Amino acid sequence: DYLYVADPINGSDLTGMVEWTAVSDYCHGVFRQLKCLRAIKNGNAAKVVANRLFTPGTAEWDAFKHIFWHAMNVYHGLGKKFSRGLGKAWKVRPTGEPNPSGEWDILNNEIGIKIGGAFRSGDLKAPANGYSHFLEDYLRRYVSGSAEFSRPYGTPEIGRNI
């Protein structure tokens, strides 16, 4: 069985298919299943925001989805280790399918993990009632590389996932 999803991680993967066994194995256990459900919800939200801010299917759109998804996972308390592991499990492709290394996606996931951790710890602060929009704007500028905006958590990898 394959899990066909709204692809919260990488809409430009060759087939968009996820090897459900790898994700299922990672999400095994009641506590982790709950975290996985929340992470998938965050991934779907990342895609909605990416669709609004970038042209779907572009490299910037893809990088934004990865960064936003993992930032939300960590900010919402799912943990850095959990988010990193789920991102790697999600990159596994079904037997016989091309399996891109996912190198750029993994690097973008790491940027999101760092940014989510900075928001969670308070190193990056958002207005009390505007976290969501502040994070969207912060990450949009981060991915776009606005001239006035530094990238203290690493440079996003913008390009084809080969």
Side-chain angles (χ1 to χ4, degrees):
D1 274 337
Y2 306 127
L3 175 64
Y4 294 87
V5 296
D7 200 8
I9 299 176
N10 186 355
S12 64
D13 283 347
L14 297 175
T15 62
M17 291 192 294
V18 172
E19 175 58 65
W20 176 243
T21 304
V23 175
S24 178
D25 287 349
Y26 188 77
C27 293
H28 185 71
V30 173
F31 183 64
R32 220 181 231 177
Q33 285 176 1
L34 294 174
K35 284 179 136 184
C36 285
L37 289 173
R38 175 59 191 215
I40 290 170
K41 180 179 177 185
N42 290 342
N44 288 333
K47 184 175 182 185
V48 167
V49 173
N51 286 344
R52 186 168 33 81
L53 298 177
F54 296 94
T55 302
T58 63
E60 292 82 5
W61 172 79
D62 186 54
F64 181 89
K65 285 190 309 171
H66 284 267
I67 294 170
F68 191 76
W69 186 52
H70 287 276
M72 296 244 316
N73 286 346
V74 174
Y75 179 79
H76 289 293
L78 300 181
K80 294 176 182 181
K81 184 178 176 182
F82 170 83
S83 191
R84 186 175 293 118
L86 182 60
K88 288 179 181 176
W90 212 283
K91 292 306 301 172
V92 176
R93 295 291 168 252
T95 305
E97 289 291 323
N99 189 5
S101 69
E103 203 175 323
W104 291 350
D105 293 342
I106 298 298
L107 289 171
N108 289 332
N109 294 351
E110 283 300 317
I111 291 170
I113 288 168
K114 290 175 186 174
I115 291 171
F119 271 103
R120 187 161 175 82
S121 71
D123 289 342
L124 283 173
K125 297 196 187 299
N129 63 350
Y131 159 76
S132 180
H133 293 294
F134 183 81
L135 180 61
E136 289 174 23
D137 185 58
Y138 181 87
L139 293 179
R140 179 190 53 76
R141 290 183 297 135
Y142 201 100
V143 170
S144 298
S146 301
E148 78 285 354
F149 194 73
S150 69
R151 291 175 167 166
Y153 303 100
T155 302
E157 293 292 337
I158 310 286
R160 238 177 110 219
N161 179 15
I162 306 175

